[in-house]
Amino acid sequence: MKELKRHLSRLPAWLLTIVTVALILWLTLAPDPLPDEEPLHLFPGADKVVHGLMFGFLTFTALVDWSRGRDYRRAGWKVCLLTAALVTCFGIAIEFAQRGMALGRGFEILDMVADGTGAFTVAAIWIIASHVRNRRTT
């Protein structure tokens, strides 16, 4: 763990979050971010799972960057929930941007729900993991 912290400490502040935001913006706002001859159809609702994963990962990277910027101090439940709320608002803003840009991307309420579900699930896991880790060290 010390080795991982050392490598992460070398990165500029908030780099992980910025890279994740840029990737999400490209994947959600580009007309055809992953050009393919034929679209991939995994299962019904797979795009909602992808939304949840993307915004869950954004929550994770934001919490890692927050913790990293504070000498790896534990992010409390308030920070976790605030981060998840901000990430969810970001997802909602993207949906409205998709509607306004009219580039072939759709505005979907269920995408917003999936974004929030992913963000708050990761926040909950972070909170639980922090409590478990603290219980082991005391």
Side-chain angles (χ1 to χ4, degrees):
M1 186 64 138
K2 288 181 183 180
E3 187 73 19
L4 178 61
K5 286 181 180 179
R6 192 180 61 136
H7 288 300
L8 284 173
S9 296
R10 293 180 183 169
L11 297 174
W14 297 98
L15 178 67
L16 300 174
T17 303
I18 291 167
V19 168
T20 304
V21 164
L23 181 62
I24 288 173
L25 287 172
W26 176 66
L27 288 171
T28 57
L29 296 178
D32 194 14
L34 303 172
D36 222 306
E37 291 178 18
E38 188 174 316
L40 181 63
H41 297 287
L42 299 174
F43 55 88
D47 66 315
K48 304 307 178 252
V49 173
V50 170
H51 271 264
L53 291 172
M54 283 190 308
F55 287 86
F57 187 70
L58 177 56
T59 302
F60 177 76
T61 59
L63 289 171
V64 166
D65 279 342
W66 184 92
S67 177
R68 193 168 64 90
R70 287 155 184 80
D71 292 328
Y72 295 97
R73 193 176 83 218
R74 182 174 71 92
W77 65 271
K78 290 179 184 177
V79 171
C80 292
L81 294 180
L82 178 62
T83 301
L86 291 172
V87 167
T88 300
C89 289
F90 177 61
I92 292 168
I94 286 174
E95 288 301 314
F96 280 98
Q98 286 177 340
R99 182 168 68 174
M101 292 171 63
L103 293 173
R105 304 303 296 260
F107 174 85
E108 294 186 44
I109 299 292
L110 288 179
D111 284 350
M112 295 180 212
V113 171
D115 299 344
T117 301
F120 280 97
T121 298
V122 168
I125 291 169
W126 187 284
I127 293 166
I128 292 166
S130 293
H131 286 294
V132 169
R133 187 175 59 238
N134 284 343
R135 209 177 279 161
R136 285 186 185 162
T137 59
T138 56

